[in-house]
Amino acid sequence: MSNKVPAQIAARLLDWYDAHARVLPWRAPPGAPPADPYRVWLSEVMLQQTQVATVAPYFERWTARWPDFESLAAADDGDVMAAWAGLGYYARARNLLKGARAVVADHGGRLPNDEAALLSMPGIGAYTAAAIAAIAFGRRAVVVDGNVERVVSRLFAISTPLPAAKLEIRAATDRITPDARPGDFAQAMMDLGATICVPRAPRCLLCPLAGDCAARAEGAPERYPVKAPKKARPVRHGTVFWLWHEGQVRLVRRPARGLLGGMLALPTGQWADSPPGLADAPGGGEWRVTPGTIEHGFSHFTLVCALAGARWDGQSDPGPGEWWPVAELDSAGLPTVFAKAARKLGEWWTCD
């Protein structure tokens, strides 16, 4: 590909973006000065593994409560984890807190403005560092998320299966990334992948890059990106316990380190390769297993949980934790897996 063609690709894409950019609460309009680095950083972390439609209301609530690095750095850990509940991948929330505190303590309240320094921040990997550098600071950076992977793999008909194709896709993205307006270019690629170059039934007739697209010329854009066969995720088993007393249920605070760390949750024993039954049940009640199970997908395994309930006898030690009004469970910020369990268990005990 000649040097002229990449420049034409960038120019066509930016012209399209100027007319069709999505309006998002963390974005500056096309051609405007970069958005507030705090808002760019926050949005990029929230958008890791999570769709725009899900993130937007969380982002609005979050920035109303913690509008800058200083306010977030001073926030209570439990409040932050509760505000994150439902977004999943909870290590991101812990890293946001660590990152805000590092910005305040070590960087004078200002987010570092280049990729190398950004990579030293908690929870920031190669993609996020590049995105922040380009979008918040106008630095040329090669920004490749899932949408960009799809656009570029089709544009160049890259037939190497993912994940082996990642380096090839990055190199191709580098060739078409301009020096001017790198943040707008990165967001234009994301928007193109999210609205036009979608996984199934891409809208090629509306695409500003249709004339340059090798996959479209082949007549099979949906073939790209080529993906290696998925491995089956392992299944783990557990039991969620609902210890109930006078309109309240027992909640525990999960250990700070590990999956769902630091969050309020219903008690649960070990998650194992086979159903653990009533092992590790809290004290103080006669446990009964309720009908049905819940299933929840984590990044590396699927969790299937039995559900067990008991009324506290009012005398025995229920173990560590706190009593929480059942009517106010929505305010506890339970992680999604425990919110699912609470809905089922609450219905069962209400009817029992």
Side-chain angles (χ1 to χ4, degrees), residues 16-18 20-36 39-41 43-44 47 52 59-60 127 135-136 145 147 183-195:
W16 173 85
Y17 182 68
D18 289 342
H20 300 286
R22 290 180 293 176
V23 177
L24 300 172
W26 46 84
R27 265 193 190 171
D36 176 6
R39 295 171 72 87
V40 175
W41 166 74
S43 67
E44 288 298 335
L47 287 163
V52 166
F59 180 88
E60 297 277 26
Y127 159 75
I135 297 168
D145 70 351
N147 283 316
D184 282 352
F185 178 81
Q187 292 174 114
M189 291 287 279
M190 296 173 195
D191 280 10
L192 191 70
T195 64

Side-chain angles (χ1 to χ4, degrees), residues 93 114 119 127 143 159 192 241 270 315 325 336 341:
D114 65 87
L119 281 168
Y127 159 75
V143 182
S159 59
L192 191 70
F241 299 102
Q270 295 295 315
Q315 298 178 350
T336 302

Side-chain angles (χ1 to χ4, degrees), residues 145-322:
D145 70 351
N147 283 316
V148 176
E149 279 188 346
R150 185 166 58 257
V151 170
V152 172
S153 66
R154 289 173 176 174
L155 190 61
F156 293 90
I158 294 172
S159 59
T160 306
L162 287 170
K166 285 183 178 290
L167 288 178
E168 193 175 348
I169 290 171
R170 189 186 187 284
T173 307
D174 192 3
R175 294 203 298 275
I176 62 174
T177 298
D179 294 327
R181 299 181 63 187
D184 282 352
F185 178 81
Q187 292 174 114
M189 291 287 279
M190 296 173 195
D191 280 10
L192 191 70
T195 64
I196 302 293
C197 195
V198 292
R200 286 176 285 278
R203 305 163 69 194
C204 296
L205 293 178
L206 300 178
C207 181
L209 306 183
D212 305 293
C213 183
R216 182 170 184 261
E218 289 180 359
E222 290 185 350
R223 176 174 177 262
Y224 301 92
V226 180
K227 296 182 180 179
K230 282 188 177 180
K231 295 180 179 178
R233 284 196 299 185
V235 176
R236 300 176 72 182
H237 299 268
T239 303
V240 177
F241 299 102
W242 179 272
L243 185 60
W244 179 81
H245 176 64
E246 296 183 350
Q248 299 182 97
V249 66
R250 194 74 174 170
L251 298 183
V252 297
R253 179 77 64 181
R254 292 181 63 83
R257 293 183 178 273
L259 202 59
L260 310 179
M263 303 197 72
L264 282 173
L266 293 169
T268 179
Q270 295 295 315
W271 297 344
D273 293 334
S274 59
L278 297 177
D280 299 318
E286 295 184 11
W287 290 97
R288 285 185 284 163
V289 176
T290 69
T293 61
I294 60 158
E295 183 175 309
H296 186 76
F298 291 100
S299 56
H300 300 300
F301 66 95
T302 297
L303 177 66
V304 177
C305 280
L307 306 171
R311 285 189 175 89
W312 185 49
D313 61 19
Q315 298 178 350
S316 304
D317 182 6
E322 59 187 285

